[in-house]
Amino acid sequence: MNTQAFELRDDERRPPANDLLEVVQQGLGRTSKQLPSWLFYDERGSQLFEDICEQPEYYLTRAELALMREHGQAIADVLGADVRLVEFGSGSAIKTRILLEHLERPVTYVPVEIAGEPLRESVKRFGEIFPQLPIQPLHADFTKPLRLPVPPRTAKRTVVYFPGSTIGNFDQRDASRLLRTMRDEMGENGAILIGVDLKKNPATIEAAYNDKAGVTAEFTLNMLVRLNRELGCDFAVHQYRHRARYNAWAGRIETHIVSTVDQRVRAGSRRFDFSAGEAMLVEYSCKYSLEDFAQLASRAGLRVAQVWLDRDGLFSVQMLVRS
């Protein structure tokens, strides 16, 4: 069995945990309150997101899995043999398994994930599925500069894999910045393989973020549970609600946590007031046309080399190279 699968490597350049309080205080102190979406992903949040992906309204995962099953071999052929595969935000890495099954002689798999326990579990599972594949997990925030492990042998190409629709969680400026980070990590002859959710009927999009079972709502409010636990905040979670609406003009879902009453919350030594009906932005989920995303890639010094779509045209996987 692959022993590397059990050795989580921390990137020592990650920001210290006590920076969390500063991030939260800054966000709550804004005129329009806003907290970053990465706060969703503690252990419970990561599990809830996996549950979201199984909801009937959440078309994204089904469409992407169908796409990978249909086009996985073609994608692997385009990427070529002897690839170092670096996955940003690996999570459970279901789609990655499909890709690795088709890749020819992959040099190593480097999952980069901020949530430690999901990373440990997925890497252990991959070590059992691919016992001959070197696995070099990196416990880190992929939005910051990384120090990738040295591969066990020379790779012909580094491919940064970013499945799902996580690129949509960044506004245009931050998405461009992240793509430039990926461009730096992939090197001169590397590539980016990225999942991009496409514009479609707004009702279909809104339903995906407002499932009838309420899993997405629980996922959203778990952010407050996390802040209470880790920072000693005193959010009365039952006095907040989840709200996700599609902004057609901006082409994105905007998710807010809405206070249902006038209330005050503590974060460290500071107090912050919420009025009844006040909404705190916690996530964007941007949707793109193929033309929109090509323009975004261009601003990051990249060009779209290839696009694969699911049969219903709901979702795309795109290969980017240096322009």
Side-chain angles (χ1 to χ4, degrees), residues 242-296:
H242 157 90
R243 187 183 77 194
R245 295 176 179 169
Y246 185 64
N247 181 334
W249 178 82
R252 67 192 183 199
I253 283 282
E254 297 171 351
T255 300
H256 293 84
I257 292 175
V258 182
S259 177
T260 59
V261 298
D262 293 336
Q263 53 189 313
R264 175 171 290 184
V265 64
R266 181 183 70 249
S269 61
R270 298 178 61 184
R271 303 290 188 274
F272 300 91
D273 290 324
F274 283 81
S275 58
E278 183 176 356
M280 176 170 63
L281 179 66
V282 290
E283 186 176 50
Y284 290 135
S285 298
C286 299
K287 311 303 172 185
Y288 291 92
S289 68
L290 295 180
E291 294 76 17
D292 290 339
F293 196 75
Q295 291 176 10
L296 175 64

Side-chain angles (χ1 to χ4, degrees), residues 63 67 70-71 198 290 307-317:
L67 185 159
E70 181 173 358
H71 300 293
L198 301 177
L290 295 180
V307 177
W308 295 271
L309 302 175
D310 68 286
R311 293 190 177 187
D312 295 322
L314 300 174
F315 197 90
S316 69
V317 169

Side-chain angles (χ1 to χ4, degrees), residues 90-305:
S90 56
S92 62
I94 298 172
K95 288 149 281 195
T96 315
R97 174 177 177 174
I98 300 173
L99 181 59
L100 284 170
E101 286 173 344
H102 291 292
L103 283 175
E104 183 180 355
R105 300 188 310 274
V107 171
T108 184
Y109 170 48
V110 184
V112 182
E113 173 61 52
I114 198 170
E117 191 54 34
L119 176 61
R120 188 180 300 277
E121 291 175 0
S122 67
V123 181
K124 179 180 178 181
R125 184 172 65 255
F126 269 52
E128 295 169 349
I129 297 170
F130 303 102
Q132 304 305 315
L133 174 67
I135 303 176
Q136 299 175 295
L138 182 59
H139 183 204
D141 178 358
F142 61 74
T143 65
K144 305 295 191 297
L146 300 174
R147 185 172 298 164
L148 295 176
V150 177
R153 61 185 174 87
T154 301
K156 291 182 179 178
R157 163 183 275 177
T158 293
V159 174
V160 177
Y161 185 35
F162 200 38
S165 59
T166 309
I167 191 63
N169 297 147
F170 299 85
D171 62 24
Q172 293 288 307
R173 181 185 62 183
D174 289 341
S176 181
R177 183 184 298 120
L178 180 57
L179 288 175
R180 287 194 295 270
T181 296
M182 294 181 182
R183 185 190 63 187
D184 292 341
E185 299 294 352
M186 78 187 195
E188 288 300 319
N189 68 333
I192 298 168
L193 189 67
I194 188 168
V196 181
D197 193 23
L198 301 177
K199 290 180 176 177
K200 58 186 69 66
N201 187 326
T204 300
I205 297 174
E206 280 206 350
Y209 296 86
N210 294 281
D211 59 274
K212 291 181 180 179
V215 180
T216 307
E218 184 180 355
F219 169 76
T220 301
L221 294 177
N222 181 67
M223 179 186 287
L224 305 185
V225 176
R226 175 185 183 179
L227 297 182
N228 286 350
R229 182 184 67 251
E230 295 188 15
L231 296 180
C233 297
D234 58 353
F235 286 98
V237 180
H238 65 285
Q239 292 180 343
Y240 294 85
R241 65 180 178 87
H242 157 90
R243 187 183 77 194
R245 295 176 179 169
Y246 185 64
N247 181 334
W249 178 82
R252 67 192 183 199
I253 283 282
E254 297 171 351
T255 300
H256 293 84
I257 292 175
V258 182
S259 177
T260 59
V261 298
D262 293 336
Q263 53 189 313
R264 175 171 290 184
V265 64
R266 181 183 70 249
S269 61
R270 298 178 61 184
R271 303 290 188 274
F272 300 91
D273 290 324
F274 283 81
S275 58
E278 183 176 356
M280 176 170 63
L281 179 66
V282 290
E283 186 176 50
Y284 290 135
S285 298
C286 299
K287 311 303 172 185
Y288 291 92
S289 68
L290 295 180
E291 294 76 17
D292 290 339
F293 196 75
Q295 291 176 10
L296 175 64
S298 178
R299 290 196 293 273
L302 298 159
R303 66 175 176 86
V304 178

